[in-house]
Amino acid sequence: MKTTLPYAFVGVLKKNTICVLALVVLLFLSQTLSAQPTVTTGKSYINLTRPNGGTFFPGDTIEVRATIAVSGGDNSSSANRVNSIRYNDTLNLAKLAYIPNSLNILNNEGRAQRATPYTEASDNDSAHYDPVTGRLRFNIGNGAGKADLPTQGISITNAGSMWGALFPTFYKGTCIRMYVYRVKILTAAAVVNIDTTIRLSAGNFRYRIGNSVTDVVSNFSPYLIKISPDFGLCSNAIGANALISESGGTFGSGHNRNRTTTSALVPLPYTRKMFSSNTPNDNFYGIANNTSGTWGFNNDISQNNPIRVFNVWEITGDHTGAASLTSGNPPTDTTIAGSIGGYALIINASYETNYAFSQTITSLCENTYYEFSAWFKNICRRCSCDSSGTGANQAGYKPGTINPVFGTPDSSGVRPNLTFKIDSFDYYTTGNMPFSKEWVKKGFIYRTHPGQTSFTITIRNNAPGGGGNDWAIDDIGVATCLPNMKYSPSLTPNVCNNNALTIYDTVRSFFNNYVYYQWQRSTDGGTTWVNIGAPAGPVVPTLVGGNWQYVAAYTVPPTMTYPGNAGDKYRVIVATSTTNLSDVNCRSTDATNTVTLSVTICGPILNVNMASYSGMVADRKANLKWTTTAEEEQYYFDIEKSLDGSSFTVIGTVNGYNNSGQINQYNFIDPTELSSKAFYRVRMRTIDNRNTYSRILELSADTEPFSFSSVINPFANTLYFDISSVKTGMVKVELIDHFGMPIRKKVMDIREGVNQFSFDNTSILPPGMYILRAQMDGVVITKKVMKQVQ
């Protein structure tokens, strides 16, 4: 069975703290004890404040884990053990604060091996922390004595010895110890802020093999942690995967259980092995559509079964295209001729903090948010080994912490814990991933810098060792977080020939950086697009309902609303910079919807004016009323109805009175009861089919006593709005600027039902947000409206 160091730390986690550097050990378990011991060391860290994964924030606490593993040897003589073992480190006090009572020793699964932590003082125990210099020292092993930095420094004084069977032991052949401490990232903005780099020093183990008088020194590298916002994953639309290699991060598919080719994205020292009863073993990987050891495909078979790799691994398939994102695909039955299954990458991680995935991605867009994510599965259910060296499938095994998924004592062993790194900096850790039989998605959002068009992304094993720490990865993706876009007044607006028409696009995004836009027109059905006018931006979005929003408006000129323009399409492209706006790969648009122009031949301007137009609902039926003036010829009024505000159908016609010089009143009752919303408009036409349209009136079966039923928002030259009332009376309406001053006001008659009003000549108002306020019988209603840049 493989060996791994777990990351279980349940019971010692502190809220809002980050576990700093854990020094991790690389170790290969010998089948028999050797007289000459071997040593593996490593260093890692976990973020205790983000146990379920996340980026790094001021105030987080990090646990540093320095791991040493000694295999073989015995205590019969100094020649057969590792001697003079000590660990030295120095804290970065400029950006980190030491957390008292955090010096401790853990086994490879994170179980504390002392009843109480070491004290910081230079007293009788074998650890010492100097708060002035930030230096610390552990004297390690059997016979280790008092630690005292000023006098001992890096010398061998009071350092102890280790051999494979020393407690805590891994299957009685390897002693694995993690020496840990915790630090907290400072919170002062002048010291630590977004984009600040936190450097975790290297530290080192020093020891001597047998009777050697020469120190062996571990060679760790410092970690560079970047403070960055935690946006989660893309909450709006998401772009195409920029990861082209490995079939777009899916690792492809095939009939063979083992994929026949290696992966260029898995760096050394990991090398590929085919699946068998005991492979891939430590520091190896496989690419398979079935993770059994002997062609099995039933994952319900008992644990400790030779069909499973190491008798304990999950038998699973890949994740790509699964009907259930969490369950994934079943293992492929490759004994069936012609069966095809998707491949996943399976990592058997060991003690080292090695990279399991790395790729440089080019052709990215500057100043753009990207989601980097992947799906993971812990495939080790009974891989644990307790501190006495007893395995989970052996008699007398003592389970560790409670599994948070099943609520039972956990025997899965080391829980995978991974770090996502961009270029030289650690941005995100997954937290410990317990065994759950399911796939989980982990990832974060990264914003490219101005001018940045590439980066190298890596996934690093951050958990120390064997006895677990075996996991599958699939569906790796690097994709742009895109805005959502919505056109209005509809996707098929109607305009009279040779009349202007204003169309709008509301751009909404979780991020406030898509602030440049360009309107485009297509006259060939969307095959080719041509820019209209100059690009706009940067605009200033407004936070609306948790998303940043602005409205882009364009007025189609009368010269482009002739009958021949029917079917012309309009769209908006958006980007985060003017450079990106001109790059087809770095700009965004609504890939599904565009505005398609509908042109109605209205003929010459009619010699009639619609003085008012209103509606109400009585007995669940729409009752429309309108008045006209100057009917100098015979007119007809076609009442049109729509359930979506876009597609209208004539439901009735009313003949005009043809009496010039009088105010004429009309009404029409829709014979069909309303069950929800409906939209109505009146087409005024002559005998020779010259015509014009009223505004659209929205009526609902459930009308509020006094409310805005419709507001054309944003507005430009005219602010149109409809007010619904259950009674007749007087209404006072005001348009208020951001200083709270009324800049437009009216007192108007209002009828029972929906009434249409407007503030004209608003083109002279400066762009920005305003408040539309209406008052009737002591009841006040308000609505935010935006004056659009023209």
Side-chain angles (χ1 to χ4, degrees), residues 513-588:
N513 62 328
Y514 280 93
V515 294
Y516 295 87
Y517 70 88
Q518 170 78 64
W519 280 94
Q520 294 184 323
R521 176 190 293 117
S522 174
T523 58
D524 57 5
T527 302
T528 57
W529 294 89
V530 177
N531 291 342
I532 306 170
V539 297
V540 180
T542 302
L543 192 60
V544 179
N547 285 274
W548 294 96
Q549 173 180 307
Y550 67 89
V551 179
Y554 174 69
T555 299
V556 182
T559 55
M560 297 303 296
T561 60
Y562 283 96
N565 297 115
D568 285 0
K569 292 182 177 293
Y570 293 84
R571 73 176 185 183
V572 174
I573 57 173
V574 297
T576 62
S577 68
T578 53
T579 300
N580 288 346
L581 197 61
S582 60
D583 186 340
V584 68
N585 296 312
C586 292
R587 65 196 190 199
S588 177

Side-chain angles (χ1 to χ4, degrees), residues 20 28 127 315 321 400 500 660 696 717 730 775:
V20 183
F28 295 93
I315 302 175
S660 176
I696 296 173
N717 299 324
M730 301 291 293
Q775 181 176 352

Side-chain angles (χ1 to χ4, degrees), residues 476-647:
I476 306 171
V478 179
T480 314
C481 297
L482 300 176
N484 288 335
M485 305 167 73
K486 184 176 181 180
Y487 294 105
S488 60
S490 75
L491 295 178
T492 56
N494 186 279
V495 62
C496 285
N497 63 299
N498 202 24
N499 278 257
L501 171 70
T502 302
I503 53 179
Y504 306 92
D505 185 18
T506 301
V507 181
R508 288 172 56 86
S509 177
F510 184 77
F511 305 104
N512 63 346
N513 62 328
Y514 280 93
V515 294
Y516 295 87
Y517 70 88
Q518 170 78 64
W519 280 94
Q520 294 184 323
R521 176 190 293 117
S522 174
T523 58
D524 57 5
T527 302
T528 57
W529 294 89
V530 177
N531 291 342
I532 306 170
V539 297
V540 180
T542 302
L543 192 60
V544 179
N547 285 274
W548 294 96
Q549 173 180 307
Y550 67 89
V551 179
Y554 174 69
T555 299
V556 182
T559 55
M560 297 303 296
T561 60
Y562 283 96
N565 297 115
D568 285 0
K569 292 182 177 293
Y570 293 84
R571 73 176 185 183
V572 174
I573 57 173
V574 297
T576 62
S577 68
T578 53
T579 300
N580 288 346
L581 197 61
S582 60
D583 186 340
V584 68
N585 296 312
C586 292
R587 65 196 190 199
S588 177
T589 190
D590 188 328
T592 304
N593 299 310
T594 56
V595 176
T596 303
L597 196 63
S598 176
V599 179
T600 300
I601 302 176
C602 299
I605 297 175
L606 302 184
N607 294 321
V608 65
N609 293 317
M610 184 173 282
S612 66
Y613 176 39
S614 63
M616 61 177 291
V617 177
D619 297 329
R620 304 192 69 83
K621 292 183 178 180
N623 189 342
L624 308 178
K625 296 181 180 181
W626 65 96
T627 60
T628 66
T629 61
E631 292 188 22
E632 297 181 355
E633 58 183 306
Q634 181 64 52
Y635 291 100
Y636 301 92
F637 301 92
D638 295 328
I639 294 82
E640 299 183 359
K641 179 181 179 180
S642 171
L643 296 180
D644 60 8
S646 177
S647 300

Side-chain angles (χ1 to χ4, degrees), residues 9-209:
F9 217 91
V10 177
V12 293
L13 299 184
K14 290 186 178 180
K15 187 177 182 181
N16 296 327
T17 58
I18 296 180
C19 296
V20 183
L21 300 170
L23 297 173
V24 181
V25 180
L26 281 167
L27 166 120
F28 295 93
L29 181 62
S30 304
Q31 296 299 315
T32 59
L33 296 180
S34 60
Q36 184 69 57
T38 59
V39 179
T40 307
T41 62
K43 184 173 183 177
S44 67
Y45 67 87
I46 59 173
N47 185 340
L48 293 179
T49 304
R50 319 284 169 192
N52 296 317
T55 56
F56 298 92
F57 266 60
D60 285 356
T61 302
I62 298 176
E63 182 172 270
V64 180
R65 292 183 165 187
T67 306
I68 182 168
V70 177
S71 297
D74 56 50
N75 197 29
S76 60
S77 69
S78 61
N80 292 338
R81 61 184 182 236
V82 180
N83 303 300
S84 304
I85 310 171
R86 62 274 191 202
Y87 177 77
N88 290 82
D89 208 342
T90 303
L91 275 65
N92 177 5
L93 296 180
K95 296 180 180 179
L96 301 169
Y98 172 78
I99 295 179
N101 301 313
S102 65
L103 297 173
N104 212 334
I105 177 175
L106 315 177
N107 75 346
N108 68 326
E109 293 188 10
R111 307 184 196 184
Q113 302 301 295
R114 292 175 55 88
T116 59
Y118 292 106
T119 61
E120 285 82 22
S122 176
D123 48 23
N124 290 328
D125 67 31
S126 56
H128 182 207
Y129 169 69
D130 182 359
V132 177
T133 62
R135 297 166 57 207
L136 62 84
R137 170 173 169 130
F138 288 99
N139 290 330
I140 295 172
N142 190 55
K146 171 183 178 179
D148 182 69
L149 278 165
T151 59
Q152 296 171 5
I154 60 173
S155 71
I156 65 172
T157 305
N158 288 352
S161 304
M162 290 177 63
W163 56 95
L166 187 67
F167 190 87
T169 182
F170 186 72
Y171 288 99
K172 298 180 174 58
T174 301
C175 178
I176 308 172
R177 294 185 175 186
M178 295 196 299
Y179 289 85
V180 304
Y181 64 90
R182 298 178 183 178
V183 294
K184 183 177 182 178
I185 300 176
L186 298 180
T187 57
V191 177
V192 178
N193 212 328
I194 298 300
D195 243 9
T196 298
T197 299
I198 308 295
R199 184 179 188 273
L200 299 176
S201 60
N204 59 68
F205 284 98
R206 295 174 183 269
Y207 55 90
R208 296 178 180 180
I209 302 294

